Amino acid sequence: MTRPPSSPPPAQIYVVAGPQQPNYAAMLTMKSSGTAVVLEIVLGLLGIFGVGNMYAGRTALGLIMMISYWVFQGINILLTFILIGWVTGFLTWLTYTIVGPLLATQGVEQHNQRVLAAQTPRPTAPGGPTPGSPAPGGAGWQ
């Protein structure tokens, strides 16, 4: 096929694929509430609170629990000189022993809900656009 000498060469379309993003939703796994509770209680007996919350994905809350427990216990040690520290020290430990596992269980439930939401495909309306298909205006669907 010959073309007239004044016409431009035919346009060529190149599709360049960018780097593929990993599917992080597939990498998330469900976590066990029982494991979070055991971590909180067993390590709590040793005075290490917050590990169950870290397991649940709430690292900041776990660190806050660890640090605040020992800050409060330091205050309770100072209060032992007026004898009230023996009572408040035990109450601090008891509070962290009860609240820690409850917060860890809640964190695991939230984590598992996020995992399920990330792994569940979003439904589309019948006849509606699907992700990746062009919109009627010509722009990609967002």
Side-chain angles (χ1 to χ4, degrees):
M1 180 166 154
T2 61
R3 59 186 168 111
S6 63
S7 67
Q12 294 183 359
I13 299 174
Y14 295 98
V15 177
V16 179
Q20 294 293 323
Q21 296 294 324
N23 185 1
Y24 290 111
M27 293 181 198
L28 294 175
T29 59
M30 302 287 276
K31 294 188 178 183
S32 166
S33 296
T35 302
V37 169
V38 168
L39 285 170
E40 280 292 329
I41 291 176
V42 170
L43 293 174
L45 293 173
L46 302 173
I48 304 169
F49 291 96
V51 178
N53 283 287
M54 290 181 183
Y55 167 78
R58 298 167 130 184
T59 306
L61 180 61
L63 288 173
I64 288 170
M65 287 186 68
M66 280 183 180
I67 294 168
S68 65
Y69 175 76
W70 286 105
V71 167
F72 287 134
Q73 288 299 51
I75 293 169
N76 289 327
I77 288 170
L78 295 175
L79 291 175
T80 57
F81 294 112
I82 57 172
L83 300 180
I84 190 89
W86 294 106
V87 174
T88 57
F90 173 73
L91 291 176
T92 301
W93 175 83
L94 185 63
T95 301
Y96 275 73
T97 303
I98 294 170
V99 171
L102 292 175
L103 290 175
T105 302
Q106 182 183 34
V108 167
E109 289 172 1
Q110 289 175 355
H111 170 81
N112 289 343
Q113 287 174 355
R114 285 191 305 267
V115 170
L116 288 175
Q119 292 177 349
T120 304
R122 293 183 295 176
T124 58
T130 58
S133 67
W141 184 70
Q142 297 293 323

